[in-house]
């Protein structure tokens, strides 16, 4: 009888498999989104087979070698910098007790608020021969300009330093997360075997944390290869500067697309290496189950202040000093400030808000489609849609403008031949093209947050709502969206901030006479008039604080679990 009753209840309960079979439109949505998002990437890939005439052979003979060499030097230099800074800070903050440790838990991610190109402009102004630092040195010691040597910030070494300061938080956050999740039994066993603290770190903790470190390093290197403002300002020839120069300087779109494809090859190699590193250590990580936390080492005297210094210097150089210098520029040049940045702020806020809203809406459709139809095909489409974040903005910009240009030219030719008038540019050089490029670039940022929020909602709630006669759309509107409001807002804000700071894609795709805060800072810095753009630069930094606050809240939550 109990079995019959159970069967009856099961028959009355909505069958999730039937629900999935009756919702093909959500799968179609995912397919359409994936196809649209993949157009720029496929355009760049297939550009390899497009004839580019003699320009490609000219580039190969003259500058391609420099692009490859400088990109490799940046990769190796920034890798060393972010690993040394990020892993050291993560280990000390996680495993040691010293003055200021709790502050450094969140302060170590503050450099996220300052884009690398903005940091490059600020430090160049500060360290230049006419800057305040060298001027003070000459005045103090009575030296002439030729009487001393000072390192040149405008060099590839300077670019490596700036990018290491700007991108080390990627490695810090993921390395710290890995250290927090490690089993204490492994570290305790290493102590029993007579390992010192540093031996335990290098032989036990570091190998187990390697997947997290590799993931953070991959993100930092993708941002390094995406950078345009820093390398262009420092005169370092890389693929991003080459794409911009070939597109606008030489007017050779096929060659620019092929350079973009070359750069995308670097990204693919990075992703493969990161995946290989993660898979290689998967068995070790699986065996490192979590138990009680290991008591932190209480550092005293010289060791405690050494740890403080190691954690403080990156925060000082990566956030505190740049903000102080920027504020000094702003207040000391109020009479010369270009207050056009207020109008440009409206432009930046507009495109950022539109992109953030659309990115969250599209990500919601993608995540809900995967929830209703968790098939391999839907997951594949969603993964394709999330590829953009791994692709540099300059590559995506080229991939957007080529098909948009072909569409505009085809429509214009048709109307000229049949109706006798020109339609002009319908898509290229429009706000629509900008927003589309941003969506391709940052959709994965919103999708990750939306998907994580949706996974927290139990499927039983969907079944209960379907049993009450709700349609799939109504379940999403009435159940999921209200419960996910915090996650949706966070995802939208993250996209908003990323769009505000984006420079390479904006420079290539933006409409004529449509500037943003990032473009104004770049333009004035290129003209050696950074002080006049201090208002726009400060606006970017203030907006950049938003993701720092969000990430800090996440760290605060992890700290609670750490003490349990």
């Amino acid at each position: 009888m109990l079995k019959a009753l159970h069967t009856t209840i099961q028959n009355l309960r909505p069958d999730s498999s039937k629900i999935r079979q009756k919702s093909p439109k959500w799968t179609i949505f995912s397919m359409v989104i994936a196809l649209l998002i993949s157009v720029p990437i496929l355009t760049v890939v297939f550009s390899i087979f497009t004839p580019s005439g003699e320009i490609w052979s000219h580039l190969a003979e003259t500058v391609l070698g420099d692009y490859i060499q400088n990109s490799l030097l940046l990769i190796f230099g920034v890798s060393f910098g972010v690993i040394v800074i990020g892993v050291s800070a993560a280990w000390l903050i996680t495993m040691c007790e010293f003055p200021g440790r709790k502050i450094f838990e969140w302060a170590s991610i503050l450099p996220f608020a300052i884009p690398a190109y903005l940091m490059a402009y600020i430090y160049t102004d500060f360290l230049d021969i006419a800057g305040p630092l060298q001027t003070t040195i000459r005045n103090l010691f009575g030296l002439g300009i030729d009487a001393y040597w000072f390192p040149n910030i405008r060099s590839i070494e300077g670019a490596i330093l700036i990018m290491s300061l700007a991108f080390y938080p990627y490695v810090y956050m993921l390395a710290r997360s890995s250290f927090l999740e490690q089993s204490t039994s492994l570290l305790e066993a290493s102590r029993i075997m007579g390992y010192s603290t540093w031996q335990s770190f290098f032989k036990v903790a570091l190998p187990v944390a390697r997947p997290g470190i590799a993931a953070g390093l991959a993100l930092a290197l993708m941002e390094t290869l995406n950078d345009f403002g820093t390398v262009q300002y420092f005169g370092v020839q890389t693929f991003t500067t080459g794409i911009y120069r070939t597109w606008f300087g030489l007017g050779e779109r096929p060659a620019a697309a092929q350079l973009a494809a070359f750069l995308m090859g670097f990204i693919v190699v990075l992703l493969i290496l990161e995946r290989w590193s993660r898979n290689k250590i998967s068995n070790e990580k699986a065996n490192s189950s979590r138990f009680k936390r290991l008591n932190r080492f209480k550092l005293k005297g010289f060791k405690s202040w050494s740890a403080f210094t190691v954690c403080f210097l990156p925060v000082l150089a990566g956030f505190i000093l740049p903000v102080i210098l920027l504020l000094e520029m702003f207040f000391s040049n109020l009479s010369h400030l270009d207050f056009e940045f207020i109008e440009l702020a409206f432009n930046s806020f507009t495109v950022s808000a539109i992109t953030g809203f659309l990115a969250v809406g599209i990500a919601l459709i993608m995540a809900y489609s995967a929830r209703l139809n968790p098939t391999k095909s839907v997951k594949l489409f969603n993964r394709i849609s999330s590829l953009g974040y791994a692709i540099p903005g300059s590559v995506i910009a080229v991939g957007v403008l080529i098909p948009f240009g072909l569409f505009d030219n085809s429509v214009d030719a048709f109307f000229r031949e049949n109706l006798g008038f020109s339609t002009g540019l319908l898509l290229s050089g429009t706000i629509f093209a900008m927003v589309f490029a941003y969506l391709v670039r940052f959709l994965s940022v919103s999708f990750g947050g939306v998907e994580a929020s949706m996974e927290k909602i139990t499927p039983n709630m969907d079944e209960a709502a379907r049993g009450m006669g709700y349609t799939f759309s109504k379940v999403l509107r009435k159940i999921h969206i209200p419960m996910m409001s915090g996650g949706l807002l966070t995802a939208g804000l993250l996209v908003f901030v990323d769009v505000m700071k984006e420079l390479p894609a904006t420079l290539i795709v933006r409409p004529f006479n449509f500037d943003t805060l990032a473009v104004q800072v770049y333009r004035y810095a290129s003209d050696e008039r950074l002080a006049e753009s201090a208002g726009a630069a400060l606006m970017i930094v203030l907006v950049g604080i938003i993701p720092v606050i969000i990430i800090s809240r996440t760290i605060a939550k992890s700290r609670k679990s750490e003490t349990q």
Side-chain angles (χ1 to χ4, degrees), residues 3 89 112 116 234 241 261 298-300 324 391 418 461 480 509 523 532 555:
K3 185 176 180 179
F112 261 145
F234 284 0
T241 60
K298 293 185 178 180
L299 303 181
K300 298 180 180 179
I324 292 174
I391 309 299
N418 296 280
M461 299 192 70
H480 289 193
V509 182
R523 187 175 67 245
E532 296 181 35
I555 290 178

Side-chain angles (χ1 to χ4, degrees), residues 482-513:
M483 296 183 67
M484 298 168 56
S485 58
L488 297 179
L489 179 61
T490 299
L493 285 174
L494 290 174
V495 174
F496 179 91
V497 173
D498 279 335
V499 173
M500 285 281 293
K501 297 190 294 184
E502 175 63 24
L503 180 62
T506 306
L507 282 173
I508 297 176
V509 182
R510 66 192 171 98
F512 182 70
N513 280 340

Side-chain angles (χ1 to χ4, degrees), residues 203-432:
K203 294 186 177 182
V204 179
L206 190 60
V208 176
R210 193 173 65 192
I213 296 172
L217 178 61
L219 290 172
L221 293 183
M222 283 189 283
E223 290 295 333
T224 298
L225 293 175
N226 176 60
D227 181 86
F228 172 79
T230 304
V231 291
Q232 193 275 340
Y233 192 60
F234 284 0
V236 178
Q237 296 189 58
T238 64
F239 283 101
T240 51
T241 60
I243 291 168
Y244 188 83
R245 187 180 300 112
T246 305
W247 185 285
F248 291 101
L250 302 178
E252 295 287 344
R253 294 192 174 189
Q258 289 172 355
L259 283 176
F262 217 110
L263 175 56
M264 200 159 65
F266 274 80
I267 300 296
V268 171
V269 171
L270 285 178
L271 293 176
I272 292 174
L273 290 175
E274 187 271 333
R275 180 65 61 179
W276 171 79
S277 177
R278 183 181 300 180
N279 291 338
K280 188 175 181 181
I281 200 73
S282 59
N283 292 332
E284 296 178 49
K285 190 174 181 181
N287 294 330
S288 61
S289 56
R290 296 175 62 179
F291 299 100
K292 64 178 182 179
R293 300 275 175 197
L294 185 68
N295 292 329
R296 294 191 185 93
F297 301 102
K298 293 185 178 180
L299 303 181
K300 298 180 180 179
F302 175 77
K303 290 183 178 180
S304 67
W305 290 108
S306 296
F308 175 87
T309 302
V310 168
C311 295
F312 177 68
L313 286 179
V315 179
L316 173 66
F319 181 80
I320 298 175
L321 185 57
V323 170
I324 292 174
L325 294 173
L326 203 54
L327 288 171
E328 192 275 334
M329 286 184 206
F330 181 80
F331 288 109
S332 62
N333 294 276
L334 280 175
S335 59
H336 299 90
L337 282 178
D338 186 351
F339 285 94
E340 183 189 3
F341 79 87
I342 298 175
E343 177 185 345
L344 301 184
F346 176 78
N347 292 345
S348 294
F349 274 75
T350 300
V351 294
S352 299
I354 292 173
T355 306
F357 179 80
L358 292 176
V360 170
I362 293 172
L364 197 58
I365 293 174
M366 292 165 54
Y368 194 51
S369 172
R371 184 181 181 89
L372 295 177
N373 305 285
T375 60
K376 291 183 178 180
S377 59
V378 172
K379 293 179 180 179
L380 176 62
F381 293 140
N382 287 349
R383 180 164 293 185
I384 292 174
S385 303
S386 302
L387 285 176
Y389 194 69
I391 309 299
S394 55
V395 174
I396 290 175
V398 171
V400 168
L401 287 184
I402 289 178
F404 279 19
L406 291 175
F407 174 83
D408 288 343
N409 291 334
S410 299
V411 172
D412 183 65
F414 174 82
F415 276 87
R416 282 177 181 272
E417 293 176 5
N418 296 280
L419 300 177
F421 68 91
S422 173
T423 58
L425 298 178
L426 300 175
L427 298 179
S428 304
T430 63
I431 300 296
F432 176 82

Side-chain angles (χ1 to χ4, degrees), residues 537-553:
L538 274 175
M539 186 74 71
I540 293 174
V541 173
L542 290 175
V543 173
I545 293 290
I546 294 175
V548 173
I549 295 173
I550 294 172
I551 296 169
S552 297
R553 292 176 59 188

